[in-house]
Amino acid sequence: EDQVTQSPEALRLQEGESSSLNCSYTVSGLRGLFWYRQDPGKGPEFLFTLYSAGEEKEKERLKATLTKKESFLHITAPKPEDSATYLCAVQGYFGNEKLTFGTGTRLTIIP
Amino acid sequence: DAGVIQSPRHEVTEMGQEVTLRCKPISGHNSLFWYRQTMMRGLELLIYFNNNVPIDDSGMPEDRFSAKMPNASFSTLKIQPSEPRDSAVYFCASSRAGFAYEQYFGPGTRLTVT
């Protein structure tokens, strides 16, 4: 069974203070690892898909990286509008199209 | 594109009543997913359809839950009878059919069963 563990559960940063969120996963063959952002009262918003170890993707202040066991979401010089819950999900070869989600990291950026 | 559309956005009902949640996927997407999100369990897949056919319903909690997709542009999730423990946010998502495609989520339906 695919498993995803995210850490920390919550993170408070000062505006401009860079940090990283962790997503550790166990899957029988990785088809894709997905990062989503979720604002309160809204549905998850797609950010990135990573397919293989060593791959990196960037979007504004966010950069996602992937190894064979974990993924990191690096946030550089964050702004208050980056405050949200960040969710990680995996799709494995034996799980058809379903995504297995972690419980998320709640990020708060203090002005 | 309008994105995934869900209705109603909020539903408050009494225990024992029937609840029907509705979803319109993004046009051209052939896979549709129903998720439930709670503080305790996070985001859980309930069921998903591919080309209107249910593929995996292993996440449906019990027989009180049922889902249908009569055509490519509409799906329903029904709970009958509803119970207080069904209170949660229910999301619908859609994607292109196949593997490793990102799923796009709707705004969700917040269900409260009293």
Side-chain angles (χ1 to χ4, degrees):
Chain A
E1 184 178 331
D2 300 342
Q3 290 187 326
V4 177
T5 303
Q6 291 188 246
S7 62
E9 288 188 12
L11 181 62
R12 291 171 62 89
L13 300 172
Q14 292 290 329
E15 182 173 0
E17 181 184 1
S18 301
S19 188
S20 298
L21 313 182
N22 178 264
C23 170
S24 297
Y25 65 91
T26 303
V27 64
S28 299
L30 181 70
R31 287 191 182 276
L33 185 140
F34 303 81
W35 282 99
Y36 285 84
R37 167 193 172 126
Q38 186 174 24
D39 292 298
K42 296 188 176 182
E45 175 188 347
F46 170 73
L47 293 174
F48 304 109
T49 307
L50 301 169
Y51 299 100
S52 58
E55 189 175 2
E56 298 183 353
K57 288 193 176 174
E58 289 188 63
K59 180 179 180 179
E60 297 182 354
R61 295 176 293 282
L62 300 177
K63 183 171 78 171
T65 62
L66 181 66
T67 73
K68 289 186 178 180
K69 294 183 179 180
E70 58 192 351
S71 176
F72 292 93
L73 185 64
H74 307 278
I75 302 176
T76 302
K79 298 181 178 181
E81 53 262 42
D82 295 321
S83 298
T85 295
Y86 290 85
L87 298 166
C88 171
V90 296
Q91 185 184 77
Y93 275 95
F94 300 106
N96 50 52
E97 292 178 64
K98 65 182 290 184
L99 296 184
T100 300
F101 279 85
T103 52
T105 293
R106 187 173 67 255
L107 177 66
T108 303
I109 307 301
I110 304 163
Chain B
D1 204 324
V4 176
I5 299 172
Q6 291 187 247
S7 65
R9 293 294 312 278
H10 302 274
E11 178 79 36
V12 180
T13 190
E14 293 184 349
M15 184 174 63
Q17 296 298 307
E18 177 179 297
V19 175
T20 299
L21 311 181
R22 298 172 176 79
C23 175
K24 176 180 171 56
I26 293 172
S27 177
H29 283 187
N30 297 105
S31 293
L32 182 140
F33 306 80
W34 282 101
Y35 290 88
R36 178 171 67 178
Q37 187 174 43
T38 61
M39 290 293 293
M40 291 296 296
R41 300 175 67 88
L43 201 57
E44 302 175 287
L45 178 69
L46 299 176
I47 185 171
Y48 94 88
F49 296 83
N50 185 278
N51 291 322
N52 312 336
V53 177
I55 302 299
D56 184 347
D57 65 354
S58 59
M60 296 286 263
E62 48 199 272
D63 292 345
R64 297 184 298 104
F65 286 68
S66 63
K68 294 182 179 180
M69 191 165 186
N71 57 62
S73 60
F74 184 66
S75 176
T76 60
L77 179 67
K78 185 177 294 185
I79 308 172
Q80 166 63 21
S82 58
E83 297 183 3
R85 59 190 168 126
D86 301 330
S87 297
V89 181
Y90 292 80
F91 289 104
C92 176
S94 71
S95 75
R96 289 184 287 173
F99 296 102
Y101 288 118
E102 60 273 16
Q103 297 176 15
Y104 293 90
F105 284 74
T109 296
R110 180 173 295 278
L111 174 64
T112 304
V113 183
T114 61

